[in-house]
Amino acid sequence: MSAENLDSNSPSIKPKIIAEEIKQLQRKLQEIVQPYQKPISSILPEERQVENTLLFDDIEIEACYDRFSSWKGSLSKKTVRDWINQFETILEKNIAYLLLSKFQFLSKPEIESATRSLQQKLLDLLLKEESFWEAFRDDPKVALKDDTSEFKKWLRNKIIRYAALPSPPNTSVESQYGLWGIYERSALTATSVPDGKKIRPLSEYFQGGTGDYEISVFVFMDYTNGSGNQLAKCIREINKLLEEYPAYKQSLFIFMYVVQAASFNLASIEFAPENSETIYYEPMLGYKSKEIMDILTIHQISESEYDDFIEKYCLRASGKSDAGYRDSGTLTCHHYSCPNNTLPFFHKPNNNWEPLFRNSQTPSATRYKTR
């Protein structure tokens, strides 16, 4: 009898079919249970190093201290270690260390370098102004009409007026004077700059009828420009002077900063002089700058974990969850002071919190009051 005519219900065929069915079921069962025959750890997400192992040791602590050793307050390797140890979990200690390793600290030598860079940036900006070149070539005392080095010297001696930011009521801009001292020693010593070119009140320039209004450049300088709040107050005072001396509205006003928030836009200050610009040495590092977020990603730290960390320790240090003045959350400190828009747990003392850079070192110049 042929196979085609075999009845599947015949006694000789039925056991074979049943056996094949059982084999199929066994294979399916094996596929189902296979993952569970491995150690449970092999199917769980990989455990993160930042949760159970510190990313730093005494060598890294010492490296941080070396970077910050020019801080004018009291600071030691023990201070750095004790500050990190205030964070409760291993994960939190590691986040604190990662922020510290990227922290934007400007030592005195770096500030000196910044002033030289700012002067060069200022000259480079003015080199692009055709009206200044025309005035330079029209000057009868100029022999080399197209010489760039002579033009720069002419700009320094004839055009640039270094001026103090006028202090608004109830605030202070004292910080600028120390910076101007560094600027004069570091950026101007090797140039031909008479004493009259050093920083003076803007009102003195206006009252003295200094220079040609159309080609006068008034240069102001300070350490930090974050939210622009202090600059806005100073500009109000500048505008009061411009109302008294309207001819100077044609002049150029340059505001130079060692660090400035990359997001800052002078145009956002509606009453800024029409001819005005800012120049900065470095962009301000914020706690959510790409550089910071990238290093958190490398260590598998989620943004929500990071947000919880920031809120928790800002609250502990300052009593508020805000990430610094106007919630700006910067990671910036100068050798002589820590701006109040830096994350509070770096500089704010509290009953249960000891900061790394005590705010008491911050002069009144950076304690801006809101009018």
Side-chain angles (χ1 to χ4, degrees):
M1 182 170 26
S2 66
E4 291 85 350
N5 297 326
L6 284 175
D7 185 350
S8 62
N9 290 320
S10 76
S12 62
I13 299 300
K14 193 169 185 179
K16 294 180 181 178
I17 295 174
I18 293 171
E20 186 63 31
E21 289 283 347
I22 291 172
K23 287 180 182 179
Q24 292 291 339
L25 289 172
Q26 285 175 334
R27 279 197 290 270
K28 289 180 181 177
L29 179 63
Q30 181 65 19
E31 291 173 2
I32 293 170
V33 301
Q34 186 177 13
Y36 303 99
Q37 293 175 334
K38 300 177 182 178
I40 192 69
S41 60
S42 68
I43 61 172
L44 292 175
E46 185 179 347
E47 193 171 13
R48 296 181 301 176
Q49 182 183 2
V50 290
E51 288 184 289
N52 56 25
T53 306
L54 291 174
L55 299 177
F56 57 91
D57 56 20
D58 284 346
I59 294 175
E60 279 77 20
I61 294 291
E62 187 169 354
C64 288
Y65 167 72
D66 288 343
R67 286 181 54 225
F68 309 143
S69 59
S70 64
W71 169 249
K72 285 194 174 181
S74 176
L75 193 67
S76 66
K77 289 188 278 280
K78 183 178 182 300
T79 308
V80 178
R81 191 179 299 107
D82 289 348
W83 179 79
I84 290 182
N85 284 337
Q86 294 177 106
F87 297 90
E88 293 175 354
T89 67
I90 290 178
L91 175 63
E92 290 171 347
K93 286 179 171 64
N94 281 330
I95 294 175
Y97 167 72
L98 291 173
L99 293 181
L100 200 59
S101 68
K102 293 294 183 179
F103 196 80
Q104 186 179 39
F105 183 87
L106 290 106
S107 64
K108 191 172 181 179
E110 286 170 317
I111 296 290
E112 292 171 349
S113 175
T115 62
R116 291 190 291 271
S117 174
L118 285 170
Q119 192 213 24
Q120 188 57 55
K121 287 187 175 186
L122 171 63
L123 294 174
D124 289 344
L125 175 66
L126 300 182
L127 281 170
K128 299 174 185 176
E129 296 289 332
E130 187 57 38
S131 59
F132 295 148
W133 276 104
E134 291 175 5
F136 169 67
R137 294 180 181 117
D138 290 342
D139 190 331
K141 294 182 180 180
V142 171
L144 302 173
K145 302 293 186 180
D146 292 295
D147 186 86
T148 301
S149 61
E150 285 297 313
F151 181 54
K152 288 181 179 180
K153 186 186 297 184
W154 179 82
L155 288 171
R156 290 191 296 261
N157 290 324
K158 298 284 188 180
I159 301 301
I160 298 172
R161 324 288 177 188
Y162 294 119
L165 285 162
S167 293
N170 302 320
T171 66
S172 174
V173 199
E174 295 170 3
S175 56
Q176 65 179 319
Y177 296 104
L179 183 57
W180 276 116
I182 295 173
Y183 185 85
E184 289 173 1
R185 292 191 303 272
S186 300
L188 301 182
T189 300
T191 64
S192 175
V193 180
D195 290 341
K197 286 293 181 183
K198 294 182 180 180
I199 183 173
R200 292 166 58 187
L202 185 62
S203 57
E204 286 188 12
Y205 287 118
F206 287 3
Q207 290 164 5
T210 304
D212 185 331
Y213 309 130
E214 294 184 2
I215 57 170
S216 288
V217 180
F218 295 99
V219 179
F220 309 87
M221 183 167 57
D222 204 357
Y223 283 95
T224 305
N225 183 24
S227 66
N229 184 52
Q230 183 222 8
L231 177 58
K233 292 179 179 181
C234 292
I235 285 177
R236 288 192 186 100
E237 301 306 308
I238 292 172
N239 284 338
K240 290 177 184 177
L241 286 171
L242 288 174
E243 289 302 315
E244 292 183 55
Y245 305 94
Y248 283 103
K249 290 181 179 180
Q250 303 172 67
S251 302
L252 179 60
F253 296 86
I254 304 292
F255 304 95
M256 301 198 304
Y257 289 93
V258 175
V259 292
Q260 177 177 295
S263 60
F264 174 77
N265 184 359
L266 188 61
S268 64
I269 301 179
E270 296 178 353
F271 42 85
E274 183 177 352
N275 300 317
S276 57
E277 295 193 42
T278 63
I279 298 172
Y280 61 89
Y281 169 63
E282 279 190 355
M284 184 179 289
L285 185 64
Y287 80 104
K288 283 206 169 179
S289 294
K290 185 178 184 301
E291 182 178 352
I292 301 299
M293 300 310 291
D294 284 350
I295 195 171
L296 294 175
T297 299
I298 289 170
H299 292 283
Q300 299 176 292
I301 299 168
S302 71
E303 188 169 354
S304 62
E305 286 176 316
Y306 185 46
D307 288 340
D308 290 344
F309 167 87
I310 295 295
E311 183 175 353
K312 176 180 177 178
Y313 286 100
C314 285
L315 186 63
R316 183 167 298 184
S318 67
K320 300 177 182 178
S321 58
D322 297 347
Y325 179 71
R326 293 200 169 188
D327 211 24
S328 50
T330 65
L331 293 166
T332 299
C333 186
H334 310 105
H335 68 94
Y336 83 101
S337 74
C338 190
N340 61 1
N341 57 358
T342 296
L343 289 170
F345 51 82
F346 280 99
H347 68 95
K348 283 278 188 184
N350 208 338
N351 293 334
N352 62 346
W353 191 259
E354 187 61 33
L356 186 60
F357 306 105
R358 266 193 167 269
N359 203 0
S360 58
Q361 293 294 324
T362 304
S364 60
T366 56
R367 298 195 192 107
Y368 306 122
K369 299 176 183 177
T370 304
R371 287 194 292 173

